[in-house]
Amino acid sequence: MIFRRLMGFFSLDMGIDLGTCNTLVCVKGEGIVLNEPSVVAVRKGTNQVLEGGNAVGLVAKEMLGRTPGTIAAIRPLKDGVIADFDITEAMLSYFIRKVHGNRSLASPRVVIAVPSGITAVEKRAVLNSAERAGAREVMLVEEPLAAGIGAGLPIYEPTASMIVDIGGGTSEVAVMSLGAIAACESLRVAGDDMDEAIINYLKRTYNLLIGPQSAENVKIHIGSASPLAQETTIEVKGRDMISSLPRKAIIKSEEVREALKEPIGHIIDSVLRTLDKLEPELSADLVDNGIHLAGGGALLRGLDTVIAKASGLDVKVVDDPLTCVARGTSEYLEHVEWQRTLESDEDDI
Ligand code: ADP
Ligand code: MG
């Protein structure tokens, strides 16, 4: 018992948000110490990470869509499932080692937030990867719980808290109470689908083919879910689908909103389906507590307004939605530790 407490004192506790777009690591007492894209560069046709093993994260993201013939930049969690175990493991190891570095002698204790929709096999793969990367203890936490903690919601109390966490590959919709998930849905429609909707719109309307990074840029700069006080335009560049030559076009924020209607509609439907599954007492709590939006998708202008309109509930974007899960994951470890200490203190008596 004393030995465990001593080890806890010297070791490093990491909370990891293993997102489909971004991986963040939060260390107790230090805050967010790593924030990089979940991207790995590999030799095409293999799952061999590029020599040196450092073509991960920011370095690899810059290669996305621009790789020469022999290299591929891969997002191993793209659709919210682990598409490639080996590459995910290489990525996780790289991030854990990078943070651990020379910070601490003892191997780290790690809590990883994973989408609630991943399978038992995928969970085991994440646990094994973290162990192989040198973690002493590994725990998983469901992403909505971590998001709720990070947002400062009273998820351990007997009242309903609702989180809609819109990431890149998945949107997690969940209602929690007493530290557990009462109803949830893990939807494979999120930020990436918004980018794709913009790409398809430009293809259809302007015969212009643009890449996913450009589409994301359009979404972040002028994307919206409800009318803007000041509508605006943006210049996009890509390849003309008829002449095959590079070309640009100017698109309006109203057009982008029209393009985003479909993916946003799916997210709203998921929120309504989740509300529909609730026990009446939990529904009653939400009349006062409202819905909280987290994840990068929460930053889309006017998304709160359309969800509020469809559900009739108050909708708030949490503070710093992109780091909410990582901060909550790190805090979760403290909560679990605390619970375990209480239990073992009882054992000691
Ligand atoms: P994940 O948890 O899946 O890694 P994140 O929570 O990091 O995802 O969110 C990434 C998603 O958020 C991407 O699709 C990105 O385009 C989107 N995003 C980031 N900033 C904005 C913004 N200002 N407006 C709309 N979408 C945004
Ligand atoms: Mg996320």
Side-chain angles (χ1 to χ4, degrees):
M1 179 67 217
I2 290 173
F3 177 70
R4 185 196 260 165
R5 280 194 179 159
L6 268 177
M7 283 295 282
F9 186 72
F10 286 118
S11 88
L12 187 70
D13 291 341
M14 285 186 208
I16 303 181
D17 169 11
L18 186 62
T20 61
C21 264
N22 301 297
T23 298
L24 285 83
V25 181
C26 184
V27 168
K28 196 163 109 186
E30 293 186 44
I32 306 288
V33 295
L34 181 138
N35 183 352
E36 296 203 33
S38 308
V39 182
V40 184
V42 296
R43 294 240 152 262
K44 210 166 237 170
T46 72
N47 49 19
Q48 245 182 297
V49 179
L50 286 193
E51 285 78 30
N54 57 359
V56 179
L58 286 172
V59 179
K61 186 172 185 189
E62 278 165 13
M63 299 181 185
L64 268 184
R66 292 201 184 93
T67 51
T70 54
I71 298 172
I74 292 181
R75 283 176 51 194
L77 299 155
K78 189 171 184 288
D79 298 311
V81 287
I82 298 183
D84 191 304
F85 292 126
D86 294 335
I87 297 175
T88 304
E89 179 172 333
M91 184 176 83
L92 199 53
S93 306
Y94 174 80
F95 289 142
I96 291 178
R97 295 207 172 97
K98 190 166 177 184
V99 171
H100 192 223
N102 43 20
R103 264 194 175 77
S104 162
L105 290 175
S107 40
R109 287 183 298 194
V110 174
V111 188
I112 305 174
V114 290
S116 54
I118 74 170
T119 63
V121 174
E122 289 170 332
K123 282 187 184 159
R124 172 76 6 230
V126 174
L127 282 171
N128 290 346
S129 320
E131 276 163 8
R132 276 198 289 263
R136 178 160 53 89
E137 261 183 83
V138 192
M139 261 185 287
L140 300 185
V141 56
E142 284 174 298
E143 201 178 302
L145 287 174
I149 299 171
L153 304 184
I155 67 152
Y156 291 104
E157 283 165 35
T159 184
S161 299
M162 182 162 186
I163 281 277
V164 179
D165 175 357
I166 303 155
T170 56
S171 296
E172 304 264 317
V173 181
V175 176
M176 297 155 287
S177 170
L178 291 167
I181 292 178
C184 78
E185 206 170 277
S186 182
L187 182 74
R188 300 219 166 133
V189 176
D192 291 341
D193 303 85
M194 297 184 198
D195 303 346
E196 211 166 293
I198 294 173
I199 294 175
N200 290 336
Y201 178 85
L202 283 163
K203 265 196 221 164
R204 267 199 323 269
T205 320
Y206 293 90
N207 282 321
L208 183 67
L209 192 61
I210 66 164
Q213 306 246 44
S214 306
E216 183 184 32
N217 191 45
V218 169
K219 173 186 71 179
I220 291 177
H221 282 94
I222 68 163
S224 62
S226 51
L228 299 172
Q230 188 135 34
E231 299 291 350
T232 166
T233 60
I234 196 169
E235 186 181 89
V236 286
K237 295 173 202 144
R239 177 160 61 86
D240 188 283
M241 290 173 69
I242 297 163
S243 71
S244 288
L245 293 173
R247 172 166 81 82
K248 60 187 180 186
I250 307 273
I251 58 165
K252 296 193 195 121
S253 49
E254 291 95 326
E255 296 176 275
V256 178
R257 188 157 60 246
E258 188 56 37
L260 295 180
K261 260 200 179 133
E262 195 190 328
I264 290 170
H266 289 305
I267 295 171
I268 293 176
D269 289 346
S270 174
V271 169
L272 299 180
R273 273 196 304 273
T274 308
L275 288 171
D276 192 47
K277 290 183 216 156
L278 292 182
E279 296 292 337
E281 293 295 359
L282 294 176
S283 305
D285 293 339
L286 291 179
V287 173
D288 295 326
N289 300 347
I291 301 177
H292 291 81
L293 305 186
L299 293 166
L300 186 77
R301 292 164 201 82
L303 188 61
D304 47 354
T305 315
V306 285
I307 296 180
K309 206 165 161 195
S311 64
L313 296 172
D314 279 344
V315 180
K316 285 195 199 81
V317 177
V318 306
D319 287 341
D320 204 356
L322 282 158
T323 63
C324 180
V325 171
R327 288 182 284 110
T329 309
S330 166
E331 220 175 287
Y332 173 80
L333 184 64
E334 282 167 44
H335 187 84
V336 172
E337 279 292 307
W338 176 77
Q339 262 187 351
R340 191 191 280 158
T341 313
L342 276 188
E343 282 162 17
S344 30
D345 282 349
E346 277 163 20
D347 292 346
D348 288 352
I349 299 166

